[in-house]
Amino acid sequence: MERNQLLNRLKFIVFFIIFYAFSQLYYTRNFNFTDDLEVIIGEGSNLPANWVGSKNVDKNVPILILAGHADSQGLAGAGTPGEAVDKFGKNPMHPEISDELFWNLKLQKSVVNIGKKKGLNIRSYDPGIRNIDDANDPRTNWSVGRKFAKQGGYAIEIHFDAYGKYGVGSGLIPPFSETPNRIDESIAKKFGRFPVLFRGGLGAPRRQIRILEIGKLEGLLEQNLRNLKTRQRTINLIANEIVQAFLNGIM
Ligand SMILES: [Zn+2]
């Protein structure tokens, strides 16, 4: 009797291990990760934009990466909550900031880390204070970016666009009154381009800060960001493409 019981238990354990191994295999095969940037970022902006960035850029150009909405988590302009939260009722990634800012900050960090390793003169700025009402306060993204651009640097703010019909898609918005350069061109080739006068010339481009919309925070892109198994790979994939665009633009 004792022996039979032991045998049964052993059978159950073996069965469970095999079942677990197969379920893991099935899961990893089905998490839909792709290394293809175009597939992951989804549709690009198809707004008419005919600017071309041909101005040469110094190879040591200082680059500043800003995370969109880092200082505007108040009522207006907090960034998109994303499809998962807004449409499917999932929990936000962080209780106090929008999902867009959550991902903007992660991507900002990754772009700077990878960029430094690849030899770029690159840094980030984070105001730390999550809500500054006055856009012209010296601590905002826009004030710091404006000053940086004025001194000859390349300032760019990263964003994820709203999902579905609320967003446009991926692409670069060039600076308002500065001639687009080869870095702009190189980024636009990968991510697409917005017209210079998009929405009447937004606050950032008016301060000569570029805006990069990575893609709509929805579908495959958002799923791969939210899934812990694919999160870091997805962030690194996008960050790598941005860094590569910088390198292509300054050579
Ligand atoms: Zn945004």
Side-chain angles (χ1 to χ4, degrees):
M1 215 48 175
E2 275 288 304
R3 240 190 100 166
N4 266 349
Q5 234 171 12
L6 197 70
L7 204 66
N8 275 340
R9 198 162 286 176
L10 205 67
K11 272 186 199 161
F12 177 76
I13 291 169
V14 170
F15 169 78
F16 184 79
I17 289 171
I18 292 171
F19 174 78
Y20 180 78
F22 271 97
S23 71
Q24 284 298 302
L25 192 69
Y26 179 82
Y27 182 71
T28 46
R29 278 204 181 149
N30 283 280
F31 66 52
N32 275 333
F33 183 79
T34 162
D35 281 322
D36 187 337
L37 181 75
E38 270 176 55
V39 174
I40 226 169
I41 62 178
E43 59 186 305
S45 146
N46 51 20
L47 301 169
N50 44 30
W51 57 267
V52 178
S54 55
K55 204 171 98 187
N56 281 328
V57 193
D58 186 275
K59 72 175 176 37
N60 289 316
V61 63
I63 297 167
L64 176 68
I65 309 289
L66 300 163
H69 314 280
D71 51 26
S72 60
Q73 292 300 299
L75 289 176
T80 180
E83 186 184 42
V85 171
D86 211 40
K87 197 168 159 187
F88 301 121
K90 299 261 197 246
N91 283 331
M93 296 304 299
H94 187 285
E96 278 149 32
I97 60 173
S98 67
D99 272 29
E100 184 188 340
L101 175 58
F102 183 85
W103 300 120
N104 289 344
L105 288 166
K106 290 241 182 295
L107 187 59
Q108 175 190 39
K109 195 172 154 199
S110 182
V111 170
V112 172
N113 282 344
I114 296 173
K116 277 187 176 154
K117 276 186 204 144
K118 298 261 170 100
L120 290 174
N121 182 7
I122 192 168
R123 75 222 63 199
S124 60
Y125 170 71
D126 182 355
I129 307 159
R130 290 287 171 247
N131 197 37
I132 304 172
D133 283 327
D134 177 11
N136 291 318
D137 182 297
R139 299 165 298 178
T140 64
N141 268 359
W142 289 357
S143 295
V144 172
R146 180 171 179 262
K147 203 171 147 197
F148 194 84
K150 248 189 176 169
Q151 291 164 350
Y154 185 99
I156 185 165
E157 193 176 73
I158 46 183
H159 287 256
F160 287 83
D161 206 6
Y163 71 91
K165 61 174 191 216
Y166 307 107
V168 175
S170 67
L172 182 85
I173 308 176
F176 191 71
S177 60
E178 202 181 287
T179 316
N181 62 33
R182 285 181 186 272
I183 295 178
D184 299 320
E185 187 63 26
S186 173
I187 292 175
K189 275 195 179 128
K190 278 180 195 271
F191 289 89
R193 61 190 90 214
F194 280 70
V196 178
L197 282 171
F198 181 64
R199 289 192 187 142
L202 298 169
R206 279 192 182 277
R207 292 167 174 84
Q208 317 318 323
I209 302 163
R210 280 85 175 159
I211 285 189
L212 174 58
E213 294 283 358
I214 301 299
K216 294 181 178 184
L217 197 50
E218 65 179 12
L220 200 59
L221 172 60
E222 191 179 31
Q223 285 160 27
N224 276 314
L225 287 171
R226 284 189 152 244
N227 185 340
L228 275 169
K229 296 208 172 216
T230 51
R231 179 173 302 168
Q232 205 51 52
R233 272 166 80 187
T234 306
I235 291 167
N236 289 350
L237 170 76
I238 301 167
N240 249 313
E241 295 282 355
I242 295 171
V243 168
Q244 200 49 55
F246 280 125
L247 292 167
N248 295 345
I250 60 178
M251 292 225 247

